[in-house]
Amino acid sequence: MANPVWHTELQIRLDLTRPDLGHPDMPDLWERLRADKREPARRRGLRCAGICWDRGVEAYMYLRERNGLREAVHLSEAHQQLHFTPTSPEHKAYQERLVRTAEEAGHRAKTEVSSPGRRIRSDVLIEGAGGIVVRGEVQVSDVSAPNIAYRRRVGEELGYVQIWHTDKRDLSARSDTWWTRADVLPPEAILGRRDLEIRSGFRRLTWDRCGVLRGLPCPDRRSGYCGGLHPKHEPAAIGLDSLVRGASSGLLAPIEFQLTPTSRIHRIWVTAADRDRYLDGGGPASPEPEAAAASHASRGGPTCRPALCVGGCGRTVSLLDSTGSRRCWHCTQPARPQRPAGSCAWCGSTEGVRLYAAGRRCRSHTPAALAEAEEPGRDAYCPPRICWCGNCPHAGARQARDH
């Protein structure tokens, strides 16, 4: 099966299994894309639209033809290996377990679901109660921190409640996402009916009165005592099935816990009641109303609490922009002008534009012009010395349809 390819300049998807690449309105597209081989492969704008795309990897490709078969080849061997990484039996067993648990609880669940735009692909996607969408990710192999950060960020933008499950201690010790960990088990035990105990990732929140009996200085003042209540988290027992059912029904929720605004972020799972109490208190080290009255502190929430961007993008901001309003960086950028269809991808001109391997270019920005080299045939031919348009002025120009 041929690998799907995305052309970044033309904004089209190429299907190598079809003679016209899936675009009958663009004749001889295959020959045009392979015409100018002097252009570096990374500047031709061809990217893998398969597994690399699903995993958020920017993998460049080039086209070739072998024994009459058209192929799209990765430039990097590491990107090529992503297509041959087998799914372990333990990974498949965890997927089946999550789907079974969700369906027995009355929810709908699917495996290997791609997000809109194919930005990420979820191992399991559960449609829970009240419009809750739970994304289950199983990670039983090593993975880089940037990869996890990208997939978690996209999941947050899509509004997913994310369960990241692993059996590796080094992964569960990180705080780059909401990790839960169980023991290393064979597939038969994972698929069994006994609930798998979560060793880390689920916590119970408690609040201690800030005073001499607490034995620790106030996390806000860094010294002394304020008399208020400060939250902390402690290990709590729960099973994997109970976690899935609770997340799908809204009884359990993930939070980002900070003891102080400058301390380390802990991404943990807690009960919905603990989450509401934690957030209602304003986040880290915010006393309850009763404690605030006793310590003569303000009853209002913290003034540094992030607010939604007024631009309507849904992002949270905590600083004012130059106009004095809460607007994120993305909404302060000027809108990019829309170029007319068929214009030069370099400058936007519509005069003398032709299709090259690097996209549509005018005469001033052809690959040869940018390289300060002479045009093939002194601009008398379509590149490379074969006429594609049928209007070349030179009488000896060979026509592409004859080859």
Side-chain angles (χ1 to χ4, degrees):
M1 180 178 180
N3 195 75
V5 183
W6 176 260
H7 200 298
T8 57
E9 294 286 348
L10 300 179
Q11 294 293 299
I12 59 176
R13 188 182 181 90
L14 307 179
D15 185 359
L16 271 64
T17 62
R18 299 177 57 179
D20 56 4
L21 303 184
H23 300 278
D25 57 330
M26 305 177 69
D28 302 323
L29 180 60
W30 173 262
E31 289 78 8
R32 296 188 185 191
L33 294 176
R34 299 190 63 225
D36 197 349
K37 297 183 180 180
R38 296 171 302 171
E39 188 77 11
R42 289 185 177 273
R43 297 181 59 182
R44 299 178 191 177
L46 299 177
R47 287 182 54 186
C48 174
I51 295 178
C52 298
W53 186 291
D54 295 336
R55 298 187 178 184
V57 178
E58 191 176 85
Y60 290 95
M61 313 186 75
Y62 65 91
L63 304 177
R64 73 182 181 188
E65 190 168 352
R66 276 189 175 181
N67 301 324
L69 298 178
R70 297 175 176 179
E71 298 177 345
V73 186
H74 289 76
L75 287 180
S76 172
E77 181 67 22
H79 296 160
Q80 180 71 23
Q81 291 301 321
L82 294 178
H83 293 254
F84 301 101
T85 303
T87 302
S88 65
E90 293 78 10
H91 189 280
K92 294 181 179 179
Y94 270 119
Q95 285 183 294
E96 295 181 16
R97 175 98 184 211
L98 295 179
V99 171
R100 184 187 70 192
T101 303
E103 292 179 345
E104 289 180 351
H107 309 300
R108 298 177 57 186
K110 295 181 180 180
T111 61
E112 303 296 339
V113 182
S114 297
S115 65
R118 298 176 63 87
R119 299 176 65 189
I120 57 174
R121 183 167 56 181
S122 304
D123 290 335
V124 178
L125 209 62
I126 304 171
E127 298 179 10
I132 298 176
V133 180
V134 179
R135 176 190 178 210
E137 284 293 323
V138 180
Q139 199 68 48
V140 293
S141 59
D142 295 329
V143 63
S144 64
N147 184 293
I148 292 296
Y150 171 81
R151 292 156 61 188
R152 172 183 57 81
R153 185 175 65 254
V154 175
E156 291 176 341
E157 294 175 358
L158 295 173
Y160 295 159
V161 177
Q162 304 183 71
I163 299 177
W164 292 76
H165 186 72
T166 184
D167 56 7
K168 293 184 172 295
R169 291 180 178 270
D170 55 343
L171 287 181
S172 62
R174 291 164 25 179
S175 296
D176 47 2
T177 190
W178 296 273
W179 291 108
T180 61
R181 181 181 65 85
D183 295 332
V184 178
L185 299 171
E188 297 79 12
I190 297 174
L191 289 173
R193 283 292 174 177
R194 183 179 179 180
D195 202 356
L196 305 180
E197 184 177 354
I198 297 297
R199 300 298 184 183
S200 65
F202 182 76
R203 316 287 284 185
R204 179 178 62 253
L205 295 186
T206 59
W207 279 259
D208 291 341
R209 182 74 61 182
C210 185
V212 179
L213 297 179
R214 186 169 180 265
L216 296 173
C218 176
D220 288 342
R221 301 178 180 179
R222 303 297 178 89
S223 63
Y225 311 103
C226 69
L229 294 177
H230 298 295
K232 67 178 183 180
H233 57 84
E234 300 174 346
I238 195 174
L240 179 60
D241 295 347
S242 301
L243 176 67
V244 174
R245 288 191 293 264
S248 303
S249 59
L251 299 178
L252 303 178
I255 65 170
E256 295 182 351
F257 179 88
Q258 281 184 284
L259 185 60
T260 65
T262 58
S263 62
R264 176 187 177 186
I265 296 178
H266 297 270
R267 292 183 171 90
I268 56 178
W269 279 88
V270 297
T271 64
D274 284 350
R275 177 204 59 188
D276 294 340
R277 185 182 181 188
Y278 178 70
L279 297 181
D280 289 343
S286 179
E288 289 184 339
E290 295 80 7
S295 61
H296 305 287
S298 171
R299 290 178 177 267
T303 58
C304 61
R305 182 183 296 180
L308 292 179
C309 172
V310 298
C313 63
R315 298 182 176 90
T316 57
V317 292
S318 56
L319 299 176
L320 301 179
D321 62 4
S322 57
T323 62
S325 61
R326 294 188 183 274
R327 190 178 297 270
C328 67
W329 179 86
H330 300 273
C331 294
T332 59
Q333 303 305 304
R336 299 180 60 180
Q338 297 292 334
R339 292 182 176 179
S343 60
C344 174
W346 190 276
C347 65
S349 174
T350 57
E351 298 182 1
V353 178
R354 291 181 181 175
L355 177 62
Y356 291 80
R360 300 185 184 277
R361 298 293 175 85
C362 64
R363 295 178 182 272
S364 301
H365 297 103
T366 63
L370 294 175
E372 297 183 357
E374 189 177 11
E375 292 286 346
R378 300 184 182 276
D379 203 22
Y381 307 96
C382 293
R385 300 179 181 271
I386 300 178
C387 176
W388 308 103
C389 62
N391 300 318
C392 289
H394 198 279
R398 296 180 295 166
Q399 298 298 312
R401 58 178 176 269
D402 299 332
H403 299 269

